Amino acid sequence: MKKSILNFKQMKSKGEKITWITAYSYPMAMAAEKAGIEMILVGDSGGMVELGYDTTNPVTMDEMIQLAKAARRGAPNTFIVGDMPQGSYEVSTEEAIRNAMRFVKEAGCDAIKLEGGVRVGDKVKAIVNAGIVVIGHLGLTPQSVASFGGYRVQGKTLESFEETVVDAVSLEKNGASLLLLEAMPSLSAEQISKRLKIPVLGIGAGELVDGQLIIMHDLTGFYPNFRPWFAKCYIPQVIDKYKDTLYPFKDNLKKFGIQLREDGLLSIVQLAIKEYIDEVKTINFPSEDYNYPIKIEELLSIKESKYWI
Ligand code: KIV
């Protein structure tokens, strides 16, 4: 059954981790749904991993709608989030509402995600007032990489920790239903999760938050140009674990494999997503190896913050 924002809030209060993955195509979204994922993000990362742009910035609203429609067709019973691409929400609240509404009406998305905190407060409020579920995104926000001066981890210094807390609180106040933190030391991310009532999920933000997001093409090793070190490719683990049992019909592939359509890559992808779900639920992912380290001086300095709980 499709989960709702209410279910995610209940999961946070029970301490049950929420599982989220990106998907931008019909077969991958289908594999994610069959594996039992709770949320799908049609991220603007699709501009890179599916469409081949060098960054996420060129992808357009029209392209995002096509990717989201495909994902919805593949996963009719999963909570799907459409990612507002750069340029689709910054100019005015009217344009932000119009584009958010396109994700809901044209692609059947359940929510939208946008980057930024205080600076996009009016847009968040306006979209929420239009009846659309909004998910915030803070930390390393790829659309603002140029203004950060490159890909920089946030929440490591007192200043960036406090800025992130202020942004997170303003997102919740303006009506965001969930928050994603990207690339942040786990203790900083935990502070934000403790402070907010809404679920706080992480990607590269450690295990102390309310759930995890992973990029499909990192989990499957399907993007050749780049993989952040906090992302885990699950394919070697799946091959190792299931090598003897993967194809129970392997002696009769022609008969059963073709019939069940379970003789190819997609069944391996599905198992890989299942492994990810199991590891998130049992708090085995992300392990220490996939966490951002924080120096003791940095930790001591952020612990002095008036926002430290
Ligand atoms: O586009 C995307 O997939 C994202 C993640 C990198 C967080 O926004």
Side-chain angles (χ1 to χ4, degrees), residues 32-286:
E33 180 165 297
K34 280 189 175 172
I37 204 81
E38 288 153 334
M39 292 173 67
I40 286 176
L41 171 67
V42 184
D44 62 356
S45 53
M48 294 173 75
V49 301
E50 285 287 338
L51 305 179
Y53 294 124
D54 287 340
T55 69
T56 58
N57 292 347
V59 72
T60 65
M61 195 60 214
D62 284 345
E63 288 167 328
M64 288 302 300
I65 292 290
Q66 291 311 317
L67 299 176
K69 278 179 158 179
R72 173 49 83 208
R73 288 190 282 262
N77 298 310
T78 304
F79 189 94
I80 295 190
V81 183
D83 199 10
M84 303 282 283
Q86 189 188 45
S88 67
Y89 58 96
E90 297 89 336
V91 176
S92 67
T93 50
E94 288 76 12
E95 213 164 301
I97 296 172
R98 195 172 305 118
N99 284 321
M101 200 58 91
R102 287 192 66 190
F103 271 120
V104 175
K105 288 190 76 84
E106 293 177 40
C109 288
D110 300 287
I112 63 93
K113 171 173 91 58
L114 47 74
E115 297 185 5
V118 173
R119 73 182 163 85
V120 293
D122 58 335
K123 315 297 185 314
V124 172
K125 221 182 213 168
I127 298 170
V128 170
N129 284 340
I132 297 170
V133 175
V134 173
I135 295 179
H137 179 176
L138 296 172
L140 194 163
T141 42
Q143 290 172 14
S144 323
V145 152
S147 54
F148 286 140
Y151 286 91
R152 297 209 189 289
V153 179
Q154 303 297 307
K156 266 176 114 165
T157 62
L158 179 63
E159 192 190 359
S160 79
F161 170 71
E162 292 195 339
E163 229 171 74
T164 312
V165 173
V166 170
D167 278 334
V169 169
S170 96
L171 281 166
E172 183 170 66
K173 222 161 123 195
N174 283 321
S177 293
L178 194 146
L179 172 64
L180 174 69
L181 296 176
E182 180 170 358
M184 188 174 284
S186 59
L187 289 170
S188 307
E190 182 193 29
Q191 285 293 309
I192 293 165
S193 161
K194 274 185 174 173
R195 182 166 287 275
L196 301 194
K197 287 195 191 71
I198 59 173
V200 175
L201 280 75
I203 177 165
E207 78 287 13
L208 303 172
V209 285
D210 307 311
Q212 299 294 326
L213 169 69
I214 197 164
I215 304 281
M216 175 72 81
H217 292 56
D218 292 337
L219 177 142
T220 53
F222 216 59
Y223 182 63
N225 299 349
F226 172 73
R227 186 188 311 153
W229 62 266
F230 58 71
K232 175 172 172 181
C233 176
Y234 278 83
I235 299 300
Q237 185 170 317
V238 164
I239 302 282
D240 193 42
K241 188 165 168 184
Y242 293 96
K243 62 182 178 302
D244 299 325
T245 54
L246 189 54
Y247 299 122
F249 41 73
K250 68 174 175 288
D251 296 331
N252 209 341
L253 261 184
K254 196 159 172 52
K255 189 164 172 208
F256 296 109
I258 294 171
Q259 226 171 62
L260 300 172
R261 308 285 192 275
E262 283 178 5
D263 54 349
L265 211 50
L266 218 49
S267 49
I268 297 178
V269 169
Q270 204 176 305
L271 284 172
I273 300 170
K274 268 203 170 111
E275 287 288 300
Y276 161 70
I277 294 171
D278 286 350
E279 288 195 353
V280 172
K281 292 282 183 195
T282 54
I283 323 183
N284 284 302
F285 179 79

